[in-house]
Structures are given as C-alpha cells and as structure tokens.
Amino acid sequence: QVHLMESGGGLAQAGGSLSLHCEASGSIYRARQMGWYRQAPGKQRELVALMAIEGTTTYADSVKGRFLISRDNANHAVNLQMNNLMPEDTAVYYCYGAIEQTLVYENDYWGPGTQVTVSP
C-alpha cells in the first residue's frame, strides 16, 4: 500500500548538477527515515544520504560537501541535490523510506530506481 517513486535522474557531465526527487504515497503514519542509496554496476548497494524526520542527516563520506538531502514531511517526500558530480557517482539511485503505517510497526520501502550517469 506504500509506494515510492523517484524522478530527476539523467545524464550530466563532470562538475555538473542533478536534483533527485522522491515521494511516498499510500497509507503512511510517519516516515521515520527517508533517503537515498545507490548501486553501481558490479558494486554493492550503498547508502548515499539519509534524513530522519526530526532533521538529522547522514552522508556517505564520498558525497559530503557535494550532495544535500532535504525533506518535505507534509508530502512524505525527499530530495537529493547533487552538485560537483563525478563519473564515480554513476549508479542507479534508489529512494528509501523507513515508514510506519502504525505507531509501532515499521517497514522498509524502496523505489524502483533512477539512473544517474556522469560523463567525464
């Protein structure tokens, strides 16, 4: 009943910027955590950035100072502003939500992914 959908992926050149957006829909009490993971070809899925509902953030070391996560709690949405992109950022980016449909029960939800490709 909960669905996440990403938008904003595409092609950028090194040094450029992209902005990703994700919105959760369905029966949602609270999204305790929302954020972004990514998976490059041949690599494990890795955390990019997370933002808790109260505003605390976590970033991968590789994106600190370049990416900025933000949330719109009223719309259960999360954004990722990606600046100074590098070819190493090329990956499928997945929206993630730790979402409670009741006060005490929480499940992990994932969007289908959006491709980000950064050319040299």
Side-chain angles (χ1 to χ4, degrees), residues 45-82:
R45 186 176 296 190
E46 65 174 350
L47 184 146
V48 178
L50 284 175
M51 191 171 187
I53 193 166
E54 73 273 16
T56 58
T57 58
T58 302
Y59 291 93
D61 288 342
S62 60
V63 307
K64 286 179 180 177
R66 299 189 298 120
F67 292 8
L68 180 66
I69 190 170
S70 61
R71 286 182 59 156
D72 177 1
N73 293 334
N75 294 114
H76 309 299
V78 62
N79 304 101
L80 186 69
Q81 179 64 46
M82 303 184 293

Side-chain angles (χ1 to χ4, degrees), residues 14 44 48 58 78 85 92 114:
Q44 296 279 84
V48 178
T58 302
V78 62
L85 285 163
V92 177
T114 185

Side-chain angles (χ1 to χ4, degrees), residues 6-30:
E6 307 95 342
S7 63
L11 180 65
Q13 62 185 24
S17 298
L18 285 173
S19 182
L20 304 183
H21 176 77
C22 172
E23 191 161 333
S25 61
S27 181
I28 299 170
Y29 171 72
R30 185 179 70 165

Side-chain angles (χ1 to χ4, degrees), residues 37-48 88 90-92 94 110:
Y37 288 69
R38 67 186 181 188
Q39 188 167 23
K43 304 285 188 178
Q44 296 279 84
R45 186 176 296 190
E46 65 174 350
L47 184 146
V48 178
E88 302 94 288
T90 295
V92 177
Y94 296 92
W110 298 90

